Amino acid sequence: MKLHLISLIAAGLVYGSAAHAQLANTYVAGDEISVPASIEAAIASDRRPADEKARDANRKPGEIMTFFGVEPGDTVAELMAASGYYVGVLSEVVGPQGTVYGHNNGWIMQRQEDGRSPIAKRIDKIGHTNVVDLVGELEDPGLPDGELDAVFIVLIYHDMLGLFETDTAAANKAIYDALKPGGVYGIIDHHAPMGTGLGATGTLHRVERHEAVQDILKAGFVLDAETDLLENLDDPMTGSVFGPDIRGQSHRFVVKFRKPS
């Protein structure tokens, strides 16, 4: 724990004593996360495509699902899911009694030559029976009010703050309203260097952790926990996350927020 905090301070990712205390109070070491057998079986499911399983080493879906507390029977959503790597993971973890909303917006839809959403195509290809395809803008994604156990935004919050020019206050309110009391809001994104603020969202596709955290806290969420599961302190954070030397291996923050109960 102490060494981890020192490494984060050296990387410019902890800001003063208050932030140090906040990180210390909410920190969960990745090597302390024990994945239940049910989640291990879900990750190993034959229904998951081989090309997606090949990405598991860098995404650690079993540990991520365990950290966020996803369970069989849950109702969950991934916003801006693209082709749905995590939609597939969530589908297996929540099982036939659960529901997964896979969402994309107009920006994604404009890139579909056949006019069909990637999640609709995924449902057809894999045969998901517990996945619901949603298309809408982030400010009004179409989630049912007060029914969700968890909502996830993975490697895209930086674009909400930059490229998409999203009204994040409205988007976070929609997520807040969709969650049950005590529901989880999970964020994974690429770290930007200290002092960058929002300046690298459109160029390097990175954002300073505190920018995303403070934006979400303004919506009424509380910071519940964070983990080093996807950190990579060898990432200099000076290049695009799509660069061939770092793609899939960027230094990422993983933060769990909760709607107060």
PDB file of all heavy atoms in Angstrom, residues 1 27-34:
ATOM      1  N   MET A   1       0.831  -1.203   0.000  1.00  0.00           N
ATOM      2  CA  MET A   1       0.000   0.000   0.000  1.00  0.00           C
ATOM      3  C   MET A   1       0.862   1.247   0.000  1.00  0.00           C
ATOM      4  O   MET A   1       0.703   2.145  -0.815  1.00  0.00           O
ATOM      5  CB  MET A   1      -0.917  -0.015   1.217  1.00  0.00           C
ATOM      6  CG  MET A   1      -1.673   1.288   1.436  1.00  0.00           C
ATOM      7  SD  MET A   1      -2.709   1.708   0.026  1.00  0.00           S
ATOM      8  CE  MET A   1      -3.484   3.169   0.649  1.00  0.00           C
ATOM      9  N   TYR A  27      -8.657   2.674  -1.249  1.00  0.00           N
ATOM     10  CA  TYR A  27      -7.798   1.849  -2.100  1.00  0.00           C
ATOM     11  C   TYR A  27      -8.010   0.347  -1.876  1.00  0.00           C
ATOM     12  O   TYR A  27      -8.098  -0.106  -0.737  1.00  0.00           O
ATOM     13  CB  TYR A  27      -6.340   2.219  -1.817  1.00  0.00           C
ATOM     14  CG  TYR A  27      -5.314   1.339  -2.464  1.00  0.00           C
ATOM     15  CD1 TYR A  27      -4.976   1.501  -3.797  1.00  0.00           C
ATOM     16  CD2 TYR A  27      -4.683   0.337  -1.740  1.00  0.00           C
ATOM     17  CE1 TYR A  27      -4.028   0.685  -4.386  1.00  0.00           C
ATOM     18  CE2 TYR A  27      -3.738  -0.481  -2.318  1.00  0.00           C
ATOM     19  CZ  TYR A  27      -3.404  -0.293  -3.641  1.00  0.00           C
ATOM     20  OH  TYR A  27      -2.476  -1.093  -4.221  1.00  0.00           O
ATOM     21  N   VAL A  28      -8.086  -0.400  -2.987  1.00  0.00           N
ATOM     22  CA  VAL A  28      -8.156  -1.861  -2.944  1.00  0.00           C
ATOM     23  C   VAL A  28      -7.046  -2.391  -3.844  1.00  0.00           C
ATOM     24  O   VAL A  28      -7.064  -2.154  -5.063  1.00  0.00           O
ATOM     25  CB  VAL A  28      -9.520  -2.388  -3.427  1.00  0.00           C
ATOM     26  CG1 VAL A  28      -9.535  -3.913  -3.393  1.00  0.00           C
ATOM     27  CG2 VAL A  28     -10.648  -1.823  -2.587  1.00  0.00           C
ATOM     28  N   ALA A  29      -6.070  -3.067  -3.274  1.00  0.00           N
ATOM     29  CA  ALA A  29      -4.967  -3.600  -4.068  1.00  0.00           C
ATOM     30  C   ALA A  29      -5.466  -4.712  -4.985  1.00  0.00           C
ATOM     31  O   ALA A  29      -6.245  -5.569  -4.566  1.00  0.00           O
ATOM     32  CB  ALA A  29      -3.873  -4.136  -3.150  1.00  0.00           C
ATOM     33  N   GLY A  30      -5.012  -4.677  -6.227  1.00  0.00           N
ATOM     34  CA  GLY A  30      -5.451  -5.671  -7.193  1.00  0.00           C
ATOM     35  C   GLY A  30      -5.128  -7.087  -6.775  1.00  0.00           C
ATOM     36  O   GLY A  30      -5.913  -8.016  -7.006  1.00  0.00           O
ATOM     37  N   ASP A  31      -3.960  -7.273  -6.129  1.00  0.00           N
ATOM     38  CA  ASP A  31      -3.577  -8.632  -5.740  1.00  0.00           C
ATOM     39  C   ASP A  31      -4.329  -9.128  -4.512  1.00  0.00           C
ATOM     40  O   ASP A  31      -4.145 -10.254  -4.069  1.00  0.00           O
ATOM     41  CB  ASP A  31      -2.064  -8.733  -5.527  1.00  0.00           C
ATOM     42  CG  ASP A  31      -1.532  -7.783  -4.465  1.00  0.00           C
ATOM     43  OD1 ASP A  31      -2.350  -7.146  -3.775  1.00  0.00           O
ATOM     44  OD2 ASP A  31      -0.300  -7.671  -4.345  1.00  0.00           O
ATOM     45  N   GLU A  32      -5.179  -8.270  -3.957  1.00  0.00           N
ATOM     46  CA  GLU A  32      -6.021  -8.685  -2.835  1.00  0.00           C
ATOM     47  C   GLU A  32      -7.421  -9.083  -3.281  1.00  0.00           C
ATOM     48  O   GLU A  32      -8.249  -9.468  -2.457  1.00  0.00           O
ATOM     49  CB  GLU A  32      -6.123  -7.549  -1.807  1.00  0.00           C
ATOM     50  CG  GLU A  32      -4.800  -7.201  -1.137  1.00  0.00           C
ATOM     51  CD  GLU A  32      -4.913  -6.019  -0.199  1.00  0.00           C
ATOM     52  OE1 GLU A  32      -5.992  -5.392  -0.171  1.00  0.00           O
ATOM     53  OE2 GLU A  32      -3.930  -5.712   0.496  1.00  0.00           O
ATOM     54  N   ILE A  33      -7.696  -8.985  -4.569  1.00  0.00           N
ATOM     55  CA  ILE A  33      -9.026  -9.298  -5.078  1.00  0.00           C
ATOM     56  C   ILE A  33      -9.074 -10.777  -5.469  1.00  0.00           C
ATOM     57  O   ILE A  33      -8.347 -11.217  -6.366  1.00  0.00           O
ATOM     58  CB  ILE A  33      -9.379  -8.405  -6.289  1.00  0.00           C
ATOM     59  CG1 ILE A  33      -9.446  -6.939  -5.848  1.00  0.00           C
ATOM     60  CG2 ILE A  33     -10.699  -8.836  -6.917  1.00  0.00           C
ATOM     61  CD1 ILE A  33      -9.657  -5.955  -6.976  1.00  0.00           C
ATOM     62  N   SER A  34      -9.912 -11.525  -4.792  1.00  0.00           N
ATOM     63  CA  SER A  34     -10.067 -12.954  -5.051  1.00  0.00           C
ATOM     64  C   SER A  34     -11.333 -13.171  -5.880  1.00  0.00           C
ATOM     65  O   SER A  34     -12.441 -12.874  -5.426  1.00  0.00           O
ATOM     66  CB  SER A  34     -10.158 -13.717  -3.727  1.00  0.00           C
ATOM     67  OG  SER A  34     -10.343 -15.096  -3.955  1.00  0.00           O
TER      68      SER A  34
END
